[in-house]
Amino acid sequence: MKKYLFFATALLALASCTSNDYLGDEAIGTANKQAPISFGFEVPTPTRSSGVEAATALSNQFIVWGEKSEAGGSAATAGNLVFKNYLVRWTDNTAYTTTSNTKNWEYVGITATSNENTNISPNSGTTAQTIKYWDYGADNYTFTAVSALPADITGGKVKITKTESGSAVSDKGYTIEVTDEADLEHLYFADRQQISKGIGADRTAVNAYGGNVTLTFRNAITKVRVGMFETIPGYDVKIDKFYYVDDAAPTFATMTTEGTTNFVANVPNYAPASGKTSVAGTFTVKYYPKNDDNDAAGITNHPTVSFAGSATIKNYLTLGTNINDAAKLNETSALPTFDKTDGAFSIAFPQETNDKNLKLKVDYTLSNSISGETIKVKGATAEIPAQYLKWRANFKYTYIFKISDQTNGKTGEEGPAGLYPITFDAVVVAAEDGSTEYVTTVSEPSITTYAKGSAVTTNGEYAAGEKIYTVVEDESGLATLSSTNMKLYTVTTTDATNFPITETSVAEALAEKTCMTKAQLENAKIQLTDGTFNYGKTVIDSDGSTITMHETNNVVADFTTVSGNVYVIEYTKTPATYYVDEGNTYADATAFENAGTLYTDAEATTVAESWTYGTTYYKRTGVKNVGTYAYKIIKIATL
């Protein structure tokens, strides 16, 4: 009754007063309209949710901070602070029962408990929260918000502190202290929402001045899982062990600690203690633009989240046991063997400033169920560039490793590395509103491919029409790429049963390609057609932001996919050498063409483009030294 009486009084006051209207509990002499501020929100997930589902994700409550005419990094003045960490609560089917509630969210009349006030700073006090109205004399409103499990707040497992000052508007975020018992699955940060006054704006539009405030929340944590599958005809693959070391600067040689129970790889990681769901520490939330430029112009308003834990940081990532326990790996990328049952994710912490590569080192066994033959592969390695490991809050990352018929491991204690390399493809899916894929070969060097578009798991690795970016990680870092060391081919086979397209079959075809005659090339089971790369320094992330891989060198090669194609990427670290004939002059252009690839020099390095009478040309007759190459096959989905 008191609430409705207040509404009636406010309306009466508005009708009778012309220059001294009261909006909420603040006197604003320049206001000319009355519109209650109300709230709604969305929670970005792999499938965007709102309404009941989103309210459940937020535990039916969030805490909002709101200022008007915000400028600079200083704290809001008394006249500009509108919402001082107000509690906003969801009750289904209550929309429009009050003028401050249009989306089932209410803040008027709520009183924070003493425990809530203790663990929320600054607090909104011990009196009931009052209604707030839009001030048309203000230039803008700015809202930020946090949501945590109410029991965690009252129990002191989560302590929320609003940052009221800083060198720029973007600094005014939050610090969230958590204990090792806090429920991080229900800890969310909202995007910074600024609503500027517009002339003749439609109040019914989303986040229009004078309308409903829609906040977008993002989970505070990152989630990670790993899957593996194999594509080796006639063999089953059993993982024997992973290798790692607790060292901030590991090398493959120093990764000697054996992990036979869990999937393990070297990359910085906080790990909860046994029986705990979290790590005690502090989340720091700021609202920097994507390019990390603190200038207010161009601010994206997304929360940038970092975490510092009181526990010791482990320099390796430990996940589930399923991969190690599996009798054999599955044989499809659509249904890999995940580290946890049903592909469940593990909690990890945001590391947007990460500068450490992921290093993977593994032993596995190939076995033939018919003959009983086994092959032990030891010490196969891969490296993913740090730029692809800058984990962000509210993202899910899925790393899928494919074991094909290449490896840089040894088949025996004393054997040479890489006789028939068995590569892994690491597929990384970062799912928020869309998904991001990275594909990395386990070889030396390692090739990582990435596409901005959504994941494809049915009939290809990437969708048609996408731009695919490629980088190569060598022992000295990201390789500088050019048409000299980076080649793209479209590959087909005339007999998929007996001559399937694999990394090894393509490597062999490419090694022999320049030694063949025209007739041999035309009759080859594996057919390769030259493609073209573009070269640059950056890639585009799934949300449209730019990832700078290198400041000066061209370390990124890209191309655009065509429906149904199969591509192979070839990176040359050390080129092969060949046996070359003694040279020959060809009778005419037809004989020149039928000979296949010919060269103008005795070392067979410069390709002859056309025939000239009496000129001596040279031909490669066989591979002398195989060189060092890395290959990646990419299958494009059929539209």
Side-chain angles (χ1 to χ4, degrees):
M1 290 298 293
K2 180 179 181 181
K3 183 186 301 183
Y4 290 114
L5 179 62
F6 172 77
F7 294 157
T9 303
L11 290 170
L12 179 61
L14 181 63
S16 60
C17 300
T18 58
S19 62
N20 196 26
D21 304 331
Y22 279 81
L23 306 186
D25 53 7
E26 299 174 21
I28 307 296
T30 57
N32 56 20
K33 292 185 180 180
Q34 183 185 47
I37 297 176
S38 60
F39 291 95
F41 72 96
E42 291 179 335
V43 179
T45 61
T47 300
R48 184 182 291 273
S49 60
S50 59
V52 175
E53 295 83 0
T56 300
L58 294 189
S59 306
N60 299 322
Q61 173 181 293
F62 63 85
I63 298 154
V64 66
W65 182 274
E67 303 174 24
K68 63 185 179 185
S69 298
E70 182 186 50
S74 60
T77 62
N80 286 6
L81 178 56
V82 182
F83 290 95
K84 187 178 181 181
N85 280 336
Y86 265 33
L87 293 168
V88 186
R89 291 179 177 151
W90 163 278
T91 304
D92 201 7
N93 295 319
T94 59
Y96 298 105
T97 56
T98 68
T99 56
S100 53
N101 178 356
T102 59
K103 299 288 183 178
N104 294 316
W105 289 95
E106 181 64 89
Y107 60 87
V108 174
I110 296 174
T111 302
T113 65
S114 59
N115 282 349
E116 286 171 327
N117 279 325
T118 297
N119 296 314
I120 301 173
S121 178
N123 63 65
S124 57
T126 57
T127 58
Q129 296 171 173
T130 61
I131 193 169
K132 302 291 182 177
Y133 292 92
W134 290 95
D135 176 8
Y136 279 80
D139 295 326
N140 60 65
Y141 279 78
T142 301
F143 302 92
T144 57
V146 173
S147 180
L149 199 67
D152 281 2
I153 297 174
T154 57
K157 298 175 184 178
V158 173
K159 295 185 178 182
I160 300 168
T161 302
K162 173 65 179 175
T163 306
E164 296 182 83
S165 63
S167 59
V169 171
S170 53
D171 287 324
K172 296 168 71 173
Y174 294 88
T175 57
I176 314 293
E177 297 179 55
V178 298
T179 71
D180 59 9
E181 295 179 340
D183 184 346
L184 301 185
E185 300 272 6
H186 289 88
L187 180 60
Y188 283 84
F189 307 127
D191 289 2
R192 180 177 179 271
Q193 181 63 60
Q194 187 172 80
I195 303 175
S196 298
K197 183 173 64 177
I199 299 175
D202 178 8
R203 288 185 55 237
T204 64
V206 174
N207 285 325
Y209 205 90
N212 183 74
V213 179
T214 298
L215 298 175
T216 300
F217 285 83
R218 304 175 193 276
N219 193 222
I221 57 174
T222 294
K223 292 185 177 181
V224 176
R225 65 179 178 179
V226 166
M228 300 185 78
F229 71 102
E230 61 94 0
T231 61
I232 303 177
Y235 286 93
D236 293 333
V237 176
K238 170 72 172 70
I239 298 300
D240 296 326
K241 64 186 69 171
F242 297 96
Y243 294 92
Y244 65 99
V245 62
D246 196 358
D247 188 336
T251 64
F252 288 122
T254 61
M255 292 170 64
T256 57
T257 304
E258 298 181 359
T260 58
T261 304
N262 300 74
F263 172 90
V264 192
N266 265 92
V267 68
N269 182 57
Y270 287 92
S274 177
K276 302 293 185 179
T277 59
S278 177
V279 172
T282 302
F283 288 92
T284 300
V285 183
K286 296 186 177 183
Y287 293 94
Y288 289 134
K290 292 172 187 171
N291 61 3
D292 292 331
D293 179 0
N294 294 349
D295 189 348
I299 287 176
T300 64
N301 296 320
H302 284 209
T304 296
V305 182
S306 60
F307 179 80
S310 59
T312 301
I313 299 176
K314 294 181 179 179
N315 295 290
Y316 54 90
L317 176 70
T318 303
L319 296 175
T321 63
N322 267 15
I323 292 175
N324 309 65
D325 292 341
K328 64 178 184 178
L329 297 181
N330 288 348
E331 299 176 10
T332 171
S333 61
L335 186 64
T337 302
F338 282 110
D339 68 281
K340 284 188 174 182
T341 303
D342 298 326
F345 287 86
S346 297
I347 289 177
F349 292 87
Q351 51 179 33
E352 293 191 39
T353 59
N354 173 62
D355 61 357
K356 305 294 185 185
N357 289 5
L358 182 146
K359 292 179 181 287
L360 177 72
K361 186 175 180 181
V362 63
D363 291 354
Y364 52 88
T365 299
L366 310 179
S367 60
N368 185 289
S369 59
I370 298 175
S371 66
E373 174 202 10
T374 61
I375 300 174
K376 294 284 187 179
V377 179
K378 296 181 179 295
T381 62
E383 196 159 2
I384 298 176
Q387 288 91 334
Y388 290 138
L389 296 156
K390 294 181 180 294
W391 293 340
R392 291 189 286 171
N394 200 59
F395 272 71
K396 292 181 178 179
Y397 294 87
T398 301
Y399 295 75
I400 301 178
F401 295 93
K402 180 182 74 176
I403 300 182
S404 67
D405 55 354
Q406 291 192 2
T407 189
N408 61 338
K410 293 183 177 181
T411 55
E413 296 292 342
E414 305 299 328
L419 180 60
Y420 283 97
I422 298 174
T423 65
F424 296 68
D425 294 341
V427 180
V428 184
V429 179
E432 188 184 3
D433 293 335
S435 62
T436 302
E437 295 185 356
Y438 306 108
V439 179
T440 301
T441 59
V442 173
S443 58
E444 197 283 311
S446 297
I447 299 176
T448 296
T449 56
Y450 159 81
K452 177 184 174 182
S454 59
V456 176
T457 59
T458 53
N459 61 350
E461 290 176 307
Y462 295 103
E466 291 184 336
K467 180 178 285 188
I468 293 182
Y469 302 93
T470 305
V471 298
V472 177
E473 182 72 33
D474 216 335
E475 72 273 7
S476 58
L478 287 172
T480 300
L481 305 180
S482 68
S483 58
T484 301
N485 62 1
M486 199 70 168
K487 303 291 185 184
L488 176 69
Y489 303 92
T490 302
V491 57
T492 59
T493 177
T494 60
D495 185 351
T497 300
N498 296 306
F499 296 91
I501 297 172
T502 69
E503 279 84 353
T504 293
S505 66
V506 168
E508 291 174 347
L510 287 170
E512 299 293 338
K513 182 181 180 184
T514 57
C515 301
M516 293 181 177
T517 65
K518 179 182 179 182
Q520 288 172 327
L521 286 170
E522 291 174 347
N523 293 322
K525 301 298 183 183
I526 300 293
Q527 295 286 328
L528 295 147
T529 304
D530 292 352
T532 303
F533 274 122
N534 301 306
Y535 300 95
K537 303 174 180 63
T538 61
V539 299
I540 306 300
D541 204 356
S542 60
D543 61 1
S545 60
T546 299
I547 300 175
T548 300
M549 303 300 292
H550 201 281
E551 293 296 332
T552 55
N553 297 339
N554 286 336
V555 297
V556 178
D558 71 73
F559 69 99
T560 301
T561 62
V562 174
S563 173
N565 276 5
V566 179
Y567 297 94
V568 61
I569 295 169
E570 178 187 55
Y571 172 75
T572 304
K573 180 180 180 182
T574 305
T577 59
Y578 294 85
Y579 295 106
V580 182
D581 64 17
E582 295 181 357
N584 188 19
T585 58
Y586 292 85
D588 51 36
T590 300
F592 174 91
E593 181 181 344
N594 287 337
T597 306
L598 296 176
Y599 298 83
T600 59
D601 58 305
E603 290 74 31
T605 58
T606 304
V607 175
E609 299 295 340
S610 61
W611 172 77
T612 302
Y613 177 78
T615 300
T616 300
Y617 299 99
Y618 301 87
K619 182 168 180 59
R620 294 175 177 178
T621 58
V623 179
K624 187 175 184 180
N625 295 303
V626 296
T628 303
Y629 297 82
Y631 296 94
K632 171 68 188 78
I633 289 175
I634 298 174
K635 297 179 180 179
I636 307 305
T638 301
L639 293 177

